Amino acid sequence: MNRKKLLILLGFSIIIGFIFSSFASSNPDGLEKVAETHGFIDSAVTYWSGFMPDYEVSGVNNSFLSVGLAGLFGTFVTFLVLFGSVYALSKIKKG
Amino acid sequence: MHIPDGFINNSVSVPLIGAAALSFGYSVSKLKSGLLKKKLVAKKKMALETGDLDSSYEEKWKLTEKGKEKLMAIASVGAFVFAAQMMNFPVANGTSGHLIGAALAVIILGPYAAVIIMSLVLAVQALFFGDGGLVALGANIVNMAVIAALVSYFVYDKIFKTPKGLNMRFFAAGFLTAWISVMAAALFCSLELVISGHGRVEILTSMLGVHALIGIGEAVITIVIVSLFFPKLIRN
């Protein structure tokens, strides 16, 4: 019973990541707004912008797909990273 | 609340990397002991086939049934937290907020799994999407994975004594746990900004003010998700 619900949750997450992510609010988030208001937003520095900066896949012209693919990828990667590392943890002999 | 690089001083962010690593390591060891039990596995079938009565057994760590369920739950909750964090929702005055997710992870899976989930979500976000700084990753983990989870655990398990049914006590506990977790994370984030010299009282009031609203979103999402998917919590 729980296994089925977990799969539904995963499926739901994939739908959110792929489809709904494009409809997220583009307003600055709480921290960014505080930084803008109090004048330190420009002190932000980017050492590493990631492979898909701002959750957009470069080279994809369609903005819905650009964000959607980033969301899909990220949701999957997160699942795999967590599954893989906790599974690996379970295989290590010494506690 | 993902802090980019450049907002906080190295004297703040670098020690927080250490704190994040320690917290993560501790949570890993505590989670491991909850997942596994020793199981005796026949070392060689041949030992039995040759009639060797002294058939040797090897001790191995095996996932319990509960452990397998927990593994799937950790990965699925993590996937949800990642996806949900992309869904910024508008709050007053041209601002937006998003779910943190530590509270719901704690309620469903307990504090150690929650720390691991939140830390890895933040790491994926920083490494793949540049969401949150690299040097600032420690601070982000401390704020949103450690403090938020710790406070959630304290409120949900210590103050409310881990409500398990879908009753009024659960709804009140879930709501407050989620809201307080956001405020705690915002408080720590504010302190990091204050120590880095961006202001004092005004930073605190701005951050706590906007996150008081964002926290309501967190509370609603937390209650809905836990009610829909996890009426029976997957705890140790």
Side-chain angles (χ1 to χ4, degrees):
Chain A
M1 175 58 176
N2 257 315
R3 200 59 78 92
K4 188 171 134 196
K5 279 202 180 170
L6 290 173
L7 284 171
I8 295 174
L9 179 65
L10 179 58
F12 181 48
S13 307
I14 290 170
I15 292 171
I16 295 175
F18 183 53
I19 298 177
F20 290 108
S21 52
S22 291
F23 301 105
S25 166
S26 53
N27 288 347
D29 79 9
L31 172 62
E32 285 171 311
K33 189 73 179 187
V34 168
E36 281 171 18
T37 308
H38 296 285
F40 60 91
I41 187 77
D42 289 329
S43 54
V45 164
T46 306
Y47 298 134
W48 170 252
S49 57
F51 303 107
M52 287 159 277
D54 289 329
Y55 298 95
E56 282 171 0
V57 179
S58 56
V60 174
N61 289 329
N62 182 311
S63 70
F64 171 80
L65 270 184
S66 177
V67 174
L69 288 172
L72 184 65
F73 177 82
T75 305
F76 263 121
V77 164
T78 303
F79 179 87
L80 290 173
V81 163
L82 279 164
F83 194 97
S85 38
V86 175
Y87 181 76
L89 180 69
S90 77
K91 292 293 173 190
I92 297 170
K93 247 188 177 172
K94 278 283 172 187
Chain B
M1 211 190 298
H2 294 59
I3 305 172
D5 283 320
F7 272 13
I8 57 177
N9 298 344
N10 288 336
S11 58
V12 176
S13 55
V14 173
L16 289 176
I17 294 174
L22 282 172
S23 308
F24 185 80
Y26 180 73
S27 301
V28 164
S29 65
K30 294 296 271 190
L31 180 73
K32 185 178 161 70
S33 50
L35 278 177
L36 310 173
K37 70 166 191 245
K38 265 190 246 187
K39 190 169 174 176
L40 295 179
V41 175
K43 193 163 188 173
K44 278 191 171 113
K45 277 188 198 164
M46 272 180 63
L48 298 167
E49 280 164 18
T50 57
D52 182 352
L53 293 175
D54 180 26
S55 44
S56 49
Y57 286 86
E58 194 177 81
E59 272 188 4
K60 271 193 173 186
W61 289 102
K62 283 237 164 224
L63 276 171
T64 60
E65 273 313 301
K66 202 110 220 275
K68 287 178 196 167
E69 186 183 62
K70 199 155 185 179
L71 171 61
M72 183 64 188
I74 287 172
S76 305
V77 168
F80 174 75
V81 167
F82 177 91
Q85 284 205 3
M86 285 183 83
M87 293 301 304
N88 281 51
F89 49 86
V91 296
N93 285 348
T95 318
S96 71
H98 63 72
L99 177 85
I100 295 179
L104 69 88
V106 168
I107 292 171
I108 298 164
L109 291 159
Y112 307 118
V115 170
I116 292 168
I117 289 168
M118 295 304 302
S119 301
L120 289 176
V121 167
L122 289 164
V124 166
Q125 290 170 329
L127 292 169
F128 287 91
F129 304 97
D131 191 3
L134 278 190
V135 181
L137 181 57
N140 286 321
I141 287 177
V142 167
N143 298 340
M144 291 183 274
V146 181
I147 294 295
L150 210 60
V151 166
S152 297
Y153 171 69
F154 182 72
V155 174
Y156 197 78
D157 289 276
K158 295 298 175 192
I159 296 184
F160 282 95
K161 310 277 187 242
T162 320
K164 283 179 184 150
L166 290 187
N167 48 31
M168 276 315 294
R169 200 169 121 247
F170 159 74
F171 287 112
F175 193 95
L176 283 170
T177 298
W179 188 84
I180 293 172
S181 73
V182 172
M183 296 303 279
L187 175 65
F188 270 70
C189 184
S190 306
L191 292 173
E192 290 148 19
L193 294 168
V194 167
I195 297 173
S196 299
H198 297 299
R200 260 178 291 191
V201 174
E202 63 276 20
I203 297 287
L204 281 159
T205 47
S206 297
M207 279 291 283
L208 293 174
V210 68
H211 284 91
L213 295 173
I214 295 172
I216 295 177
E218 176 101 22
V220 169
I221 297 171
T222 297
I223 288 181
V224 167
I225 294 299
V226 178
S227 311
L228 280 180
F229 289 97
F230 300 95
K232 290 183 187 166
L233 305 183
I234 307 177
R235 293 291 196 89
N236 278 329

